[in-house]
Amino acid sequence: SSQLSSLPLQILLYVNGIYYIFYFLATLAMIIYKSQVFSYPDELLAPDLAVLFLMAILEVPRSYLGFKGNLTEAEAPLGLSLGLTVGSVGLCVYLLLWQTYVLWADVLLNAALLSAYGLESGLKVTAIAAFVS
Amino acid sequence: PADIRDAAQARVRSPPAPITDVARLCVCDLLVAQCDVNCCCDPDCSAEDFSLFTSCSVPVVTGDSQLCSQKAAVYSLDVEANPPERIFKLIDQVNPSIFCIQATNYKQALYLKSPEIPTPENFDQLLDKFGGAAFSAEPDSWNWDTDAQIPPDANETSRYEYGAPVQTEDAFLRLPSPVVSSWCSDANPAGFLVNQATKCIRSVSVEKCDSIQALSMLFYINSSILAVPKSSQMVNITVQSIVVQSLNGMRTLLSTSDVLRLPMVLDGLCINAVLGVNYHITHTDTGEIIEAAAAFVLGAISKEALSIEQSFEISFTQENTQPVPLSGNPGYVVGLPVRAGFQPQGYPFPAAFLSNKHSQLTILHSTSTQDCLAAQGARAPVLFGYNMISGCKLRITAAMKCQPLAQTLLDVLKGQSFPEYVASFGNSQAQDVLDWVPITQLLISEQMISPTLQSSCQIPVSLGIEVKWTKYGSLVNPQARIVNVTATISSTTLKQLPSARERIIPVTSSVVFTDISSPAEPSYKAWPTIDIKLPFDFFYPFV
């Protein structure tokens, strides 16, 4: 039992990365669709797009730090990743609740992402506990 | 008093609140306080009214169907019950699509925007925004586009177009014309290819006669015309002819027209004052002006005259063509004469037509005496679109011989030079042979109807010209085009009269215009196709 790295966390990080790419493209496509079909003034379109791109920018270090922390069994990068996850969760909640138009597909995608983040956070906490002790 | 006025103003300022409750919304409730027929949602209808309805014109009232779940009011008539009654149900309608709107944080998304009610405070701003000929949905973002717009004459093609002002060295070729009142305004430019004739009044005084610019010939010919807009090629205006009009109105054509005659005071009269200018501009078919000439009418102004009437005219002729008045451009204009012509003989291949003002399609013009033989000269031009009928009476005596009589009647009916071809368009040029329609001539004689009669004298008694025309071109601006012209001459038998008896027979000629245009078919642009072709070495180095 020398290996402290968590296998479920690794799997989840990997799957999450792939799912996030799909989520980003789908949400971007839906925002484009909404701007064509519905009345979407520029001052409301800009914040929604900004949140989506900010989340994409945050995802890269978050995912990388998670991988690195879990594989090198270091708690610092994993802790940083956890912090970034909290930020991503906040942005995801914004897209779920306070977007200009929330479609049913938006609800499904964001709910799936939130549950993935939640599970990931839980596994990260246990991994940090395992590394520290 | 003031409070009632304020209350009224407050009422005017705020528009009525929009109804969003589906149960209270009724589209077919048009009559106030009265029951609308077959309107199941009308609150003014009672149960007895509902029992008389046959169906519900508005069966369901819903909100925006894009929402995932929304309330809907369903109205139906239960015809089984006795008496029939209306059923009202409030249900939740679910949109099964995955792209239905679950929630929206933008309240105005689902409703039409309430218009801004103009008040004394925001009226000026609203007028700026919406007062122009057009406004876009987002006026502020388009402003920078219009400022950076290229001025419209920067990418002008190097030729004159119809209606473009004819440019000269300093400004443009002026055709003084009355504006608002009858006084001459010198700021009216002559439009290219726009034949105009104007008359206006100019105030003059004999003392200042040589200082008023508009009375001198120089004013009208000193600046040369630019051959094409914005070029340096100049065309000088030459003096074509000078006509001098005396005080009593008699006009004399001067033999030498190269001497410039400027106004001067002589014996209390101002002589050589310009009373009329007639510009003739020759242009090529590519919109370039190559020649300009002006014909002047000079006159004398007496001391008592405070104003004179000047007349100006401008006409454009294409080079190497005879100026022929057009009857439309390109389609015929109703009321303008139908243009006709002859084909010169002796040409083995189709040649150009002779068409001038005198070779029009004409019909007999009825005179007051109604005597055919006396009215041989009076003819009226056939105007496009106007059906005409005219006639005269012919008195036949026993002494008249058949053949000369028939020939005379034919001359009376057809005129001296009955054309052979008619222009299909109002602006058909004589050199475009295919634009001319031949006149089909038919002869109907009574002898053909009853062949048992012996060959007796046939005299033509009626000429019927039928012009078939069609609408040609685009749906929004159809042009009239003549397709077929048929001239039918009906002749009747002239029975030999006993001597000293005379007979009066009516002779008629008519023109009928028939519209044979086929119903218009709008055609739509083809769907755009995606035409993507990969370069042939796209998959290098794999292929």
Side-chain angles (χ1 to χ4, degrees):
Chain A
S1 71
S2 52
Q3 182 193 317
L4 294 173
S5 305
S6 160
L7 181 60
L9 177 60
Q10 194 66 22
I11 296 173
L12 192 58
L13 281 171
Y14 191 71
V15 167
N16 227 5
I18 296 175
Y19 175 71
Y20 186 77
I21 294 171
F22 164 72
Y23 166 88
F24 175 75
L25 292 173
T27 308
L28 185 64
M30 278 202 293
I31 288 184
I32 294 171
Y33 163 76
K34 281 182 257 182
S35 72
Q36 299 300 310
V37 171
F38 305 126
S39 147
Y40 216 143
D42 284 343
E43 57 260 21
L44 293 173
L45 183 59
D48 290 349
L49 278 177
V51 163
L52 183 64
F53 279 96
L54 188 62
M55 206 158 89
I57 292 169
L58 274 183
E59 181 70 18
V60 173
R62 192 193 73 92
S63 202
Y64 173 73
L65 288 169
F67 271 106
K68 183 149 167 265
N70 192 26
L71 289 174
T72 59
E73 299 178 3
E75 58 271 7
L78 214 52
L80 208 54
S81 176
L82 194 60
L84 289 175
T85 307
V86 171
S88 283
V89 161
L91 295 175
C92 184
V93 164
Y94 172 89
L95 286 178
L96 177 64
L97 293 178
W98 298 305
Q99 222 184 121
T100 310
Y101 292 96
V102 182
L103 305 183
W104 182 236
D106 273 323
V107 171
L108 293 174
L109 282 173
N110 283 296
L113 194 67
L114 268 180
S115 51
Y117 280 167
L119 195 56
E120 212 185 273
S121 308
L123 285 176
K124 277 186 192 151
V125 166
T126 30
I128 291 175
F131 297 159
V132 165
S133 64
Chain B
D3 48 356
I4 298 180
R5 220 177 338 120
D6 285 342
Q9 274 180 348
R11 263 205 309 275
V12 163
R13 269 199 206 116
S14 57
I19 304 175
T20 53
D21 183 7
V22 166
R24 284 179 30 223
L25 194 61
C26 196
V27 187
C28 51
D29 180 14
L30 301 169
L31 300 168
V32 174
Q34 268 186 44
C35 182
D36 290 87
V37 179
N38 276 347
C39 187
C40 297
C41 53
D42 196 345
D44 309 314
C45 294
S46 62
E48 298 97 57
D49 298 320
F50 285 132
S51 64
L52 298 169
F53 289 170
T54 51
S55 65
C56 283
S57 60
V58 173
V60 71
V61 182
T62 63
D64 192 348
S65 58
Q66 303 255 13
L67 294 174
C68 285
S69 121
Q70 52 182 311
K71 286 219 170 305
V74 178
Y75 300 94
S76 60
L77 276 181
D78 183 13
V79 289
E80 302 296 317
N82 185 16
E85 55 187 33
R86 174 201 78 162
I87 305 176
F88 167 62
K89 279 202 293 262
L90 206 60
I91 59 169
D92 276 322
Q93 213 178 45
V94 173
N95 184 354
S97 159
I98 199 168
F99 297 117
C100 62
I101 301 178
Q102 175 71 13
T104 171
N105 292 305
Y106 174 44
K107 272 290 156 280
Q108 296 121 298
L110 304 174
Y111 308 107
L112 291 173
K113 198 168 141 178
S114 296
E116 226 176 298
I117 301 288
T119 61
E121 292 85 49
N122 66 3
F123 186 79
D124 291 317
Q125 180 228 18
L126 283 179
L127 188 65
D128 279 335
K129 217 162 132 186
F130 301 114
F135 52 87
S136 71
E138 290 162 286
D140 299 322
S141 59
W142 299 131
N143 273 342
W144 63 272
D145 256 339
T146 54
D147 288 335
Q149 209 179 51
I150 313 159
D153 46 352
N155 54 353
E156 205 179 65
T157 53
S158 61
R159 61 194 177 116
Y160 280 110
E161 289 180 355
Y162 178 86
V166 175
Q167 295 179 1
T168 62
E169 264 178 317
D170 34 7
F172 42 74
L173 187 66
R174 278 181 219 89
L175 205 72
S177 64
V179 179
V180 182
S181 64
S182 324
W183 296 101
C184 287
S185 150
D186 288 330
N188 180 40
F192 186 68
L193 291 187
V194 178
N195 294 336
Q196 266 185 308
T198 58
K199 276 195 175 63
C200 58
I201 302 179
R202 206 176 282 277
S203 70
V204 294
S205 74
V206 179
E207 298 85 47
K208 298 209 287 287
C209 147
D210 42 3
S211 61
I212 301 179
Q213 264 198 326
L215 289 178
S216 106
M217 273 171 69
L218 215 53
F219 179 65
Y220 299 100
I221 58 170
N222 65 348
S223 62
S224 353
I225 300 179
L226 303 180
V228 281
K230 294 192 174 347
S231 79
S232 50
Q233 245 181 316
M234 303 287 185
V235 174
N236 286 328
I237 308 181
T238 56
V239 178
Q240 196 177 31
S241 64
I242 301 181
V243 166
V244 174
Q245 179 172 319
S246 66
L247 273 177
N248 57 2
M250 197 163 71
R251 289 187 175 190
T252 329
L253 178 65
L254 291 185
S255 48
T256 53
S257 51
D258 31 350
V259 175
L260 212 61
R261 292 169 153 255
L262 294 174
M264 52 185 171
V265 185
L266 194 69
D267 295 338
L269 293 177
C270 174
I271 62 168
N272 294 337
V274 171
L275 292 184
V277 186
N278 207 324
Y279 288 105
H280 292 109
I281 314 266
T282 312
H283 65 98
T284 64
D285 52 357
T286 56
E288 196 185 311
I289 294 180
I290 50 176
E291 242 184 83
F296 286 93
V297 175
L298 301 178
I301 309 176
S302 58
K303 230 193 206 28
E304 304 86 37
L306 292 173
S307 63
I308 52 163
E309 190 187 48
Q310 291 184 313
S311 61
F312 299 94
E313 206 182 309
I314 185 165
S315 62
F316 290 87
T317 319
Q318 195 169 326
E319 62 170 348
N320 299 332
T321 62
Q322 294 276 33
V324 170
L326 297 180
S327 299
N329 194 17
Y332 272 101
V333 172
V334 168
L336 291 183
V338 171
R339 293 178 54 224
F342 304 88
Q343 188 173 24
Q345 300 291 335
Y347 285 86
F349 46 85
F353 291 92
L354 279 178
S355 168
N356 50 31
K357 264 204 277 208
H358 305 293
S359 65
Q360 281 178 341
L361 197 59
T362 56
I363 67 165
L364 173 73
H365 187 81
S366 307
T367 56
S368 52
T369 57
Q370 290 192 356
D371 188 357
C372 288
L373 301 174
Q376 272 186 352
R379 302 208 54 93
V382 171
L383 303 175
F384 184 80
Y386 287 174
N387 296 343
M388 297 198 257
I389 184 164
S390 64
C392 57
K393 291 202 178 67
L394 180 70
R395 179 179 285 135
I396 303 181
T397 58
M400 285 186 182
K401 295 274 190 309
C402 177
Q403 268 309 102
L405 186 63
Q407 191 55 45
T408 314
L409 275 178
L410 208 59
D411 280 340
V412 165
L413 281 174
K414 284 169 86 168
Q416 286 302 98
S417 56
F418 193 70
E420 300 164 4
Y421 289 84
V422 165
S424 66
F425 282 111
N427 67 346
S428 296
Q429 296 298 323
Q431 54 264 36
D432 303 323
V433 179
L434 296 173
D435 269 348
W436 293 76
V437 173
I439 300 183
T440 318
Q441 306 219 16
L442 294 179
L443 188 64
I444 300 179
S445 62
E446 261 185 21
Q447 195 170 26
M448 297 194 297
I449 307 169
S450 48
T452 56
L453 285 174
Q454 290 169 344
S455 66
S456 48
C457 186
Q458 296 285 327
I459 48 165
V461 285
S462 90
L463 167 69
I465 301 178
E466 187 180 4
V467 181
K468 292 203 176 91
W469 63 278
T470 172
K471 292 199 190 90
Y472 186 83
S474 70
L475 266 182
V476 294
N477 191 12
Q479 303 296 313
R481 176 189 187 171
I482 291 183
V483 179
N484 192 331
V485 180
T486 313
T488 312
I489 297 185
S490 316
S491 53
T492 177
T493 328
L494 179 64
K495 288 196 267 294
Q496 198 56 30
L497 286 171
S499 55
R501 289 284 290 274
E502 49 181 41
R503 224 176 94 191
I504 295 181
I505 50 170
V507 171
T508 54
S509 66
S510 63
V511 180
V512 171
F513 285 86
T514 321
D515 180 0
I516 58 163
S517 22
S518 44
E521 281 170 18
S523 60
Y524 299 100
K525 273 164 80 161
W527 276 100
T529 53
I530 300 176
D531 196 14
I532 305 176
K533 264 217 291 254
L534 294 173
F536 73 98
D537 57 352
F538 190 73
F539 289 111
Y540 183 85
F542 300 106
V543 167

